[in-house]
């Protein structure tokens, strides 16, 4: 559908993971396809890490993917509705310690900052919201969901990482945070 994503490869073995590393470069993300909350995800910076990273990811899901690492701002955008009525809520910019938004920083610490309003220029925020809604519609989502994106540091180009169709509802959850900012 022409939606911007990081370059990626689906892999079925540690050998294919090493080949993906050679094609995609360093750093690279290895993750299970149908898992969330960064469970089973590894940021690989050396080819020697590929075997262990593949074993960790495939232990969570037999479908594993490698994707090019995108350095920059991490944002998330809740989307509500169905079809043409779908609309984006305010963008949340995520600022994690050392840029490491892992399971621990998502659920168990208060060190991560969630900025809403996000502090991005209005035109950039509107473009990100439109991209999130397009991805939501293309995937046939309905009710509510949340798109996770990276804004590449060097040129501010957005890259879709995933669409969360059942985002969590914990004390650190982002959809309620964005909804509250929208209402306030």
């Amino acid at each position: 559908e022409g939606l911007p994503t990081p370059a990626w490869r689906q892999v079925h073995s540690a050998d294919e993971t090493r080949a993906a590393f050679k094609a995609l470069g360093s750093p690279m993300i290895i993750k299970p396809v149908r898992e969330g909350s960064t469970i089973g995800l590894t940021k690989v910076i050396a080819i020697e890490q590929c075997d262990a990273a593949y074993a960790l990811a495939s232990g969570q899901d037999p479908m594993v993917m490698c994707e090019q690492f995108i350095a920059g701002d991490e944002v998330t955008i809740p989307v509500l509705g169905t079809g043409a009525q779908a609309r984006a809520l305010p963008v949340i910019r995520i600022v994690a310690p050392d840029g490491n938004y892992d399971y621990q920083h998502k659920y168990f610490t208060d060190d991560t900052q969630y900025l809403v309003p996000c502090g991005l220029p209005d035109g950039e925020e509107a473009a990100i919201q439109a991209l999130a809604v397009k991805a939501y519609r293309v995937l046939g989502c309905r009710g509510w969901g949340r798109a996770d994106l990276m804004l590449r540091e060097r040129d501010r180009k957005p890259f879709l990482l995933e669409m969360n169709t059942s985002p969590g509802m914990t004390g650190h959850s982002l959809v309620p945070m964005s909804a509250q900012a929208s209402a306030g």
Side-chain angles (χ1 to χ4, degrees), residues 14-93:
D15 287 341
E16 288 182 15
T17 304
R18 290 189 298 279
F21 184 85
K22 291 175 183 174
L24 298 173
S26 176
M28 177 180 81
I29 299 296
I30 300 175
K31 64 184 182 182
V33 171
R34 297 171 293 205
E35 187 57 74
S37 300
T38 63
I39 295 171
L41 181 145
T42 304
K43 180 180 176 183
V44 173
I45 58 172
I47 199 163
E48 295 79 21
Q49 297 173 292
C50 288
D51 290 6
Y54 178 80
L56 179 65
S58 63
Q60 298 296 321
D61 183 351
M63 290 181 67
V64 175
M65 70 181 293
C66 299
E67 70 182 11
Q68 178 185 44
F69 176 76
I70 305 295
D73 286 334
E74 186 164 357
V75 296
T76 191
I77 308 92
V79 181
L80 305 175
T82 302
Q85 300 346 218
R87 68 179 182 92
L89 292 179
V91 172
I92 298 173
R93 188 162 49 103

Side-chain angles (χ1 to χ4, degrees), residues 114-130:
Y114 301 99
L115 305 177
V116 57
C118 63
L120 299 175
D122 289 341
E124 190 171 78
E125 183 170 6
I128 294 165
Q129 287 173 310

Side-chain angles (χ1 to χ4, degrees), residues 2 11 42 44 99-100 121 138 180:
V11 295
T42 304
V44 173
N100 185 21
V138 163
Q180 183 176 16

